[in-house]
Amino acid sequence: MSRAPASRPDQTVKLLSAAFYAASSFLIIVVNKTVLTNYRCFFFSPQMAFTIIILYSAKVCKAVSFQDFDKSLPRKIFPLPLLYVGNHVTGLGSTKKLSLPMFTVLRKFTILLTMIMESKILRTTFSPQLVCSVLAIVFGALVAASSDLAFDAEGYTFVLLNDVFTAANGVYTKKKLGVEGLGKYGILFYNAFIIIIPTALVSAYTGDLEKVIAFKGWMSLSFNLYFLLSCAMGFVLMYSIVLCSYYNSALTTTVIGAVKNVAVAYIGMFIGGDYVFSWANFVGLNICITGGLVYSYLTFQMCSPYVPGLSIDLNSD
């Protein structure tokens, strides 16, 4: 059973939720990079456990509310857990097989896929200006990576599957936010609750769990602080994604993630010293950021990016 939102959120709330997601997404990169660089490890399951503990405690204290587990819950929440696991697995596979520029350009197709899926599944129509801004972001990514077009069939397969899982996860998150009894907190809690056991079993099967137990960093106070911060930021990031999707569209959430990545690339030009300048990459990044700025203007400044009578319906065959 679905319910309609009580009222349309104003532009300030939409903008703040988007900014919260962008900031959270950037900060978790900083935290995880510190953990990976200094301790050469990353644990996925504890972030799920942290989410479960925080939300269950908040529910017991009546700070948040979502339905108790019953036989209707799996039907309400699925396919989100499967999409989340698929997104995680294909994401790890794609990063190992492709160069960073090629990985970046292929990931931009997530935006296009999200727009198509949102049109097909949520029956959304988009203004021509919005469609053009999305195409500009994808085109800019193609230009930026045009000097690094090495083909790897396995890598391409992984990253394109990752695009599909990411887009589907965003669109279905938006759809499930309207399901009675779930809401923002129910989606976060039950998604983590269903995922954590299979993830732990897979970790045990692959030997990762044994490596976690034997990890020597557990005796380090600084590592434990970073570990807890990483778990907390994992929860904050997941919450910010759901919150942004709740107040905005799935497409807006996807575009914000892409624009954040371009902004990180800009910062990398001046900080870090590992950016290799090329005109193709520089021009492509500028096209990407221009498309993102136009999208942001259409979404947050104008009354609505979905203009009746001037919209493009992607549902037509």
Side-chain angles (χ1 to χ4, degrees):
M1 181 183 297
S2 298
R3 55 177 176 80
S7 61
R8 184 168 173 249
D10 61 37
Q11 298 300 92
T12 302
V13 174
K14 293 172 65 177
L15 181 59
L16 288 175
S17 65
F20 178 46
Y21 166 50
S24 302
S25 183
F26 175 77
L27 288 174
I28 198 171
I29 291 175
V30 176
V31 172
N32 286 344
K33 183 175 177 60
T34 301
V35 174
L36 286 167
T37 301
N38 295 337
Y39 302 100
R40 300 183 181 279
C41 67
F42 178 74
F43 308 138
F44 175 65
S45 296
Q47 293 186 347
M48 299 290 102
F50 190 89
T51 298
I52 294 170
I53 293 169
I54 289 295
L55 288 178
Y56 185 76
S57 300
K59 180 178 172 65
V60 170
C61 296
K62 301 188 183 301
V64 301
S65 63
F66 51 88
Q67 78 167 69
D68 296 325
F69 188 88
D70 60 31
K71 62 181 181 181
S72 70
L73 202 286
R75 176 178 52 82
K76 288 182 177 180
I77 195 71
F78 275 91
L80 279 182
L82 294 178
L83 294 175
Y84 193 90
V85 171
N87 187 26
H88 179 68
V89 171
T90 54
L92 289 176
S94 59
T95 53
K96 294 178 181 178
K97 294 292 182 180
L98 295 174
S99 65
L100 182 60
M102 204 63 242
F103 173 77
T104 302
V105 64
L106 291 175
R107 285 293 290 150
K108 291 294 186 292
F109 282 96
T110 301
I111 304 171
L112 193 59
L113 288 171
T114 301
M115 186 169 65
I116 294 171
M117 288 186 185
E118 193 169 354
S119 176
K120 296 288 185 181
I121 297 171
L122 303 181
R123 315 304 294 181
T124 304
T125 55
F126 303 96
S127 69
Q129 300 97 317
L130 202 75
V131 173
C132 288
S133 67
V134 167
L135 293 177
I137 296 172
V138 176
F139 177 71
L142 287 169
V143 173
S146 60
S147 59
D148 184 18
L149 298 176
F151 180 77
D152 183 299
E154 185 177 354
Y156 273 50
T157 301
F158 266 109
V159 75
L160 291 175
L161 282 173
N162 190 219
D163 291 345
V164 172
F165 280 117
T166 302
N169 186 66
V171 172
Y172 273 101
T173 295
K174 179 68 175 180
K175 183 176 182 179
K176 297 298 181 179
L177 282 167
V179 174
E180 185 178 3
L182 279 181
K184 301 186 290 293
Y185 304 109
I187 286 177
L188 284 171
F189 179 83
Y190 288 114
N191 201 30
F193 183 78
I194 293 171
I195 287 171
I196 192 168
I197 296 177
T199 302
L201 291 175
V202 170
S203 297
Y205 177 77
T206 59
D208 288 341
L209 186 60
E210 184 179 349
K211 293 177 183 178
V212 170
I213 296 172
F215 181 61
K216 296 179 180 179
W218 292 117
M219 301 304 293
S220 168
L221 176 61
S222 60
F223 168 75
N224 280 284
L225 290 175
Y226 276 117
F227 172 72
L228 290 174
L229 184 58
S230 177
C231 290
M233 283 307 305
F235 165 71
V236 171
L237 176 63
M238 288 186 288
Y239 176 68
S240 68
I241 291 172
V242 172
L243 192 69
C244 186
S245 298
Y246 180 78
Y247 288 115
N248 298 282
S249 66
L251 180 61
T252 295
T253 304
T254 305
V255 169
I256 289 168
V259 173
K260 179 267 303 177
N261 290 335
V262 176
V264 170
Y266 265 106
I267 295 171
M269 293 180 186
F270 307 100
I271 301 173
D274 57 352
Y275 176 77
V276 180
F277 178 85
S278 74
W279 279 110
N281 185 268
F282 182 73
V283 171
L285 286 177
N286 280 280
I287 294 173
C288 276
I289 203 68
T290 300
L293 290 173
V294 171
Y295 182 96
S296 300
Y297 172 78
L298 292 171
T299 303
F300 299 117
Q301 291 295 120
M302 298 178 68
C303 293
S304 174
Y306 315 111
V307 183
L310 293 174
S311 58
I312 294 178
D313 186 357
L314 301 179
N315 296 303
S316 56
D317 295 325

